[in-house]
Amino acid sequence: TTTTKAEETTTVQPTTKPDVDTTGKNVKKGGYVKKNVSAYNLKLEEVTEVEKGVRYYVYKECNNGYSLIKVGNQELLVETKYITYKCNAKKIVNTSDKKYSYSDMKVDLKKLEKAYGSILKVDIAGKSLDKRNLYYVTLGNAKAKKTVYVETSVHAREYMNTKFMMKVIEDYCRGYDTKKYKGKKYSTIFNNVKLVIMPMVNPDGVTISQYGPKKIRNAKLRENLYKIAGGVDFKIWKANARGIDINRNYAEGFDRGDAKIPGHKQYAGKTPISEPETKAQVSVVEKVKPDVVICYHQAGEVMYHLNHTKLSNMLYSMTHYTHIISGQTHYGTFSDYLDARNILNCTLETGLTPAPVKNSMYKKIYKTNKDVLVSVAKMYL
Ligand SMILES: [Zn+2]
């Protein structure tokens, strides 16, 4: 009815500055408003609106019936009766979407950041050759001393991992104030150990694998793709838009691979760290200095790591992926780059059949891996 609708969208209180009552109960946790309500901005001294479905930081429940909430560096007073501590944000990531394209991710990142901006930050580490953004997200307390770094969809055809990762990002945000993992609150874990995730390292490649070169906007890149493909089905593309494999483009063991010319996989390029995607990852890693790195790939339900460690044993107990001790192989991979810097890392290969995996495999990938990052973060508490 119209009455309900009007109630849903507007409240007029407070129209003037409410008394700032400094006495009250300290809360200091995430909360939501039950509907769009008016609030009073203490700094700007004006009435403003707070939206339902957005996580705010509730600082204090004051004795005068108002709560002090924080939005960025602004402090607002809102009536306590409108506050709820249960997440009421709309669900964003649609996992029934078969392909989950770069554009889908871009739209969802924007929505996620709007709903959970107090715990989720979206940044851009560079642009791909075809000018797509190389996004990375920081989940949790951006100032946390410990960091878990995660890369996803380095290899184009392994794009289902992006859909899985975006869902996990949303899960962790939704459960931030209410859920626990093995007795520890998500908020406790992620306030102390942040996740830095690049959910689609190779967006041009993903676009090629999903739609073919026709979706590559730059004509030179597009025409070149047909030349270098050598008749291969673009669905199985792993490389970037000029046929360089990002996971062969690092300096450690550079150009030891089989491919000597650009193509769908394993060509290292002319020089190490020549590609924007490689450069972006290196810049983020150098900036955030991760304590541990999880590399998500998609081939055969196996896991690669240098040695058996507490981390690899824990990941095995969760996934039961077959252990492969990679040793000092050096093929210009991201793992080689990390090993050379003594950054503990493990590569998880989701999906049993060759990528792109069938959509029916999604459920198992999600179920097996949904708690991986929260459990890795918990190790560093
Ligand atoms: Zn891969």
Side-chain angles (χ1 to χ4, degrees):
T1 68
T2 40
T3 325
T4 321
K5 225 176 193 177
E7 270 176 12
E8 288 274 346
T9 50
T10 46
T11 30
V12 290
Q13 298 297 325
T15 49
T16 53
K17 184 177 179 175
D19 291 335
V20 184
D21 185 349
T22 50
T23 58
K25 192 174 98 189
N26 286 333
V27 182
K28 292 186 180 176
K29 66 174 182 178
Y32 297 79
V33 288
K34 292 172 184 167
K35 56 181 181 173
N36 294 358
V37 293
S38 296
Y40 191 82
N41 187 319
L42 287 173
K43 203 172 176 183
L44 303 177
E45 299 194 333
E46 63 182 29
V47 177
T48 181
E49 196 186 54
V50 292
E51 253 184 271
K52 183 185 173 183
V54 175
R55 184 189 185 274
Y56 299 98
Y57 186 64
V58 184
Y59 196 70
K60 189 172 246 184
E61 283 177 9
C62 308
N63 290 336
N64 64 354
Y66 283 87
S67 285
L68 187 63
I69 70 171
K70 286 190 177 180
V71 185
N73 58 2
Q74 304 292 322
E75 290 185 335
L76 311 174
L77 287 171
V78 63
E79 284 186 82
T80 302
K81 66 179 181 188
Y82 294 126
I83 288 179
T84 172
Y85 292 101
K86 218 180 137 194
C87 173
N88 60 18
K90 279 196 181 118
K91 287 204 176 173
I92 293 163
V93 180
N94 175 10
T95 57
S96 66
D97 185 327
K98 281 191 177 130
K99 280 182 173 160
Y100 202 77
S101 66
Y102 166 78
S103 313
D104 294 331
M105 179 187 74
K106 189 175 174 177
V107 169
D108 287 354
L109 283 174
K110 204 166 193 182
K111 290 182 185 168
L112 286 167
E113 197 178 30
K114 190 183 175 206
Y116 305 107
S118 50
I119 44 170
L120 187 80
K121 198 165 167 281
V122 180
D123 288 295
I124 296 169
K127 285 207 183 262
S128 67
L129 296 164
D130 200 37
K131 304 285 179 246
R132 288 180 180 81
N133 294 329
L134 304 174
Y135 289 107
Y136 68 100
V137 307
T138 305
L139 195 162
N141 173 9
K143 288 177 186 153
K145 289 208 173 80
K146 301 282 182 182
T147 305
V148 181
Y149 179 77
V150 187
E151 63 157 11
T152 319
S153 297
V154 176
H155 285 140
R157 68 190 186 191
E158 300 167 14
Y159 54 78
M160 192 186 279
N161 282 342
T162 294
K163 179 164 79 174
F164 144 70
M165 190 56 62
M166 291 293 289
K167 174 78 171 116
V168 165
I169 290 169
E170 183 173 23
D171 289 350
Y172 291 174
C173 289
R174 288 188 75 80
Y176 203 91
D177 303 291
T178 50
K179 272 198 161 185
K180 285 180 181 178
Y181 181 73
K182 293 198 174 168
K184 283 281 175 201
K185 282 182 181 169
Y186 279 18
S187 57
T188 305
I189 297 172
F190 297 127
N191 282 346
N192 292 288
V193 186
K194 65 183 177 291
L195 302 178
V196 177
I197 304 169
M198 200 173 270
M200 193 183 282
V201 175
N202 179 11
D204 293 352
V206 168
T207 304
I208 294 164
S209 176
Q210 292 180 336
Y211 301 102
K214 65 177 189 292
K215 280 278 185 108
I216 295 298
R217 296 163 291 208
N218 180 307
K220 265 191 181 169
L221 285 171
R222 190 170 60 239
E223 282 153 27
N224 185 52
L225 277 164
Y226 291 105
K227 281 182 205 153
I228 63 176
V232 82
D233 187 338
F234 284 105
K235 283 193 178 80
I236 64 159
W237 200 261
K238 289 177 84 174
N240 74 355
R242 59 177 165 201
I244 293 173
D245 191 326
I246 300 309
N247 210 35
R248 297 290 182 277
N249 189 236
Y250 294 88
E252 295 73 22
F254 181 78
D255 205 19
R256 278 192 55 214
D258 295 331
K260 293 297 168 198
I261 51 167
H264 77 291
K265 64 172 185 178
Q266 290 176 356
Y267 175 59
K270 280 185 183 144
T271 53
I273 316 185
S274 56
E275 301 310 288
E277 297 85 357
T278 329
K279 284 182 182 138
Q281 284 235 97
V282 168
S283 75
V284 176
V285 168
E286 285 179 351
K287 191 177 163 203
V288 304
K289 298 181 177 61
D291 297 276
V292 58
V293 175
I294 303 297
C295 309
Y296 265 108
H297 283 261
Q298 194 154 67
E301 297 188 346
V302 297
M303 50 190 280
Y304 295 95
H305 47 94
L306 193 58
N307 300 301
H308 283 292
T309 58
K310 197 178 150 201
L311 173 75
S312 67
N313 291 335
M314 189 276 285
L315 291 173
Y316 178 77
S317 73
M318 291 189 86
T319 63
H320 294 282
Y321 289 174
T322 310
H323 275 291
I324 299 174
I325 301 296
S326 53
Q328 301 282 354
T329 49
H330 294 322
Y331 277 95
T333 67
F334 187 45
S335 291
D336 295 328
Y337 165 90
L338 296 166
D339 290 342
R341 285 154 185 81
N342 290 317
I343 301 170
L344 181 63
N345 66 93
C346 188
T347 299
L348 292 172
E349 302 267 2
T350 71
L352 202 51
T353 59
V357 297
K358 288 198 182 82
N359 209 43
S360 57
M361 217 164 262
Y362 174 78
K363 266 189 183 163
K364 190 185 175 194
I365 290 172
Y366 173 71
K367 211 178 155 199
T368 309
N369 290 277
K370 67 183 172 60
D371 294 328
V372 161
L373 300 182
V374 67
S375 72
V376 173
K378 188 175 169 285
M379 285 180 76
Y380 286 82
L381 262 187

